[in-house]
């Protein structure tokens, strides 16, 4: 059973460009979470999605960031008009259901560098 | 979700048991205790979780006090590859909220 798959693993963008990060959850998992980790800082929750629904986006920056989890295909975290401060590791996680007793598994992350 | 308190860092000799404490005095009855670790530049790795009873798996044991106000993660035979930041998380909602964790250094 493959784990949570993220791609690209490393992405370099120039300031003002768009970054798209993809996440394929584990097989049978319909809940996806995105986290951001700035250099030398902790993991910060960004957004929690089910198929076709955003459940909790309390950690998402109000501008330039969006996330989706379509009925078919991977979840996408989109960052428009990137700035240097967006340089970070972005981790995706998945679980079979959103209840507190269900384990959440993380991917290996996507490293975004804005130059 | 209840707040957790962990020591910022700990050392452990290779081959010895590593006992990582966590205080969660405001935990509610339906909140689980989860442990994850993050090895440098990797994604967080699930270790173990529990509600009331002690739990054991192939990686570690989780000891939760009877009043549930604290817990201890035990790595029975620490290796150099166990060097990582360990996060104790009390989960009462859908998401996990990470604190600053304990940086465990295993030395030869």
């Amino acid at each position: 059973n493959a784990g949570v798959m993220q791609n690209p693993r490393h992405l370099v963008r120039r300031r003002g460009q768009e970054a798209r990060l993809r996440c394929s959850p584990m097989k049978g998992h319909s809940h996806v979470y995105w986290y951001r980790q700035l250099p030398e800082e902790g993991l910060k929750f960004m957004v929690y999605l089910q198929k076709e629904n955003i459940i909790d986006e309390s950690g998402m920056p109000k501008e330039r960031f969006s996330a989706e989890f379509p009925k078919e295909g991977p979840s996408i975290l989109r960052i428009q008009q990137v700035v240097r401060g967006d340089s970070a590791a972005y981790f995706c996680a998945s679980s079979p259901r959103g209840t507190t007793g269900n384990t959440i598994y993380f991917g290996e992350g996507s490293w975004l560098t804005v130059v | 979700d209840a707040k957790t308190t962990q020591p910022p860092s700990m050392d452990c000799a290779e081959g010895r048991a590593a006992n990582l404490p966590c205080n969660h005095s405001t935990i509610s009855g339906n909140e689980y205790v989860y442990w994850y670790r993050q090895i440098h530049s990797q994604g967080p790795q699930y270790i173990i979780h529990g509600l009331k009873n002690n739990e054991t798996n192939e990686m570690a044991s989780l000891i939760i006090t009877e009043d549930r106000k604290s817990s201890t993660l035990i790595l029975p035979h620490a290796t150099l590859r166990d060097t990582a930041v360990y996060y104790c998380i009390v989960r009462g909602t859908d998401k996990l909220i990470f604190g600053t964790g304990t940086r465990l250094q295993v030395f030869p």
Side-chain angles (χ1 to χ4, degrees):
Chain A
N1 188 11
V4 178
M5 304 301 292
Q6 292 189 244
N7 67 82
R9 292 296 313 279
H10 298 275
L11 182 63
V12 179
R13 284 288 178 265
R14 296 185 184 279
R15 282 178 292 172
Q17 291 184 320
E18 179 179 286
R20 287 195 180 214
L21 309 177
R22 290 177 292 277
C23 170
S24 295
M26 290 179 70
K27 186 176 180 179
H29 288 194
S30 59
H31 295 246
V32 164
Y33 310 78
W34 285 93
Y35 287 77
R36 177 166 68 172
Q37 189 168 34
L38 296 169
E40 305 304 319
E41 293 190 15
L43 289 138
K44 301 297 184 187
F45 167 78
M46 299 180 75
V47 63
Y48 162 44
L49 312 101
Q50 294 178 27
K51 288 279 188 181
E52 300 183 284
N53 284 305
I54 295 175
I55 305 302
D56 181 348
E57 55 181 349
S58 58
M60 285 281 270
K62 293 287 185 275
E63 297 177 347
R64 301 187 298 109
F65 285 72
S66 63
E68 63 176 7
F69 189 17
K71 186 176 180 181
E72 300 291 337
S75 175
I76 307 287
L77 180 68
R78 182 184 179 204
I79 310 171
Q80 295 177 289
Q81 300 175 317
V82 295
V83 300
R84 289 235 172 101
D86 297 332
S87 295
Y90 293 84
F91 293 99
C92 172
S94 73
S95 70
R97 288 177 296 279
T99 53
T100 55
N102 280 278
T103 303
I104 297 175
Y105 294 94
F106 284 79
E108 287 302 309
S110 290
W111 266 256
L112 172 65
T113 301
V114 180
V115 296
Chain B
D1 297 346
K3 180 178 169 55
T4 62
T5 304
Q6 300 178 252
S9 64
M10 293 182 63
D11 291 337
C12 179
E14 190 177 20
R16 304 297 294 270
N19 296 281
L20 290 89
C22 180
N23 286 320
H24 32 79
S25 59
T26 60
I27 192 169
S28 300
N30 61 345
E31 291 181 319
Y32 283 78
V33 179
Y34 277 79
W35 283 84
Y36 283 78
R37 72 181 183 184
Q38 188 175 26
I39 298 170
H40 184 62
S41 297
Q42 296 183 20
Q45 180 186 22
Y46 166 77
I47 302 174
I48 199 167
H49 75 282
L51 183 61
K52 296 180 182 177
N53 299 322
N54 298 336
E55 302 287 342
T56 295
N57 63 21
E58 65 278 4
M59 287 185 67
S61 295
L62 173 60
I63 308 298
I64 302 175
T65 58
E66 194 168 340
D67 64 7
R68 301 186 71 236
K69 292 185 177 183
S70 65
S71 59
T72 301
L73 178 74
I74 302 173
L75 306 178
H77 305 286
T79 71
L80 298 178
R81 286 180 291 183
D82 292 322
T83 292
V85 178
Y86 287 77
Y87 297 97
C88 168
I89 302 167
V90 170
R91 183 184 180 198
T93 60
D94 301 332
K95 57 186 181 277
L96 296 166
I97 304 298
F98 286 81
T100 53
T102 295
R103 186 174 298 274
L104 176 68
Q105 179 69 53
V106 181
F107 58 91

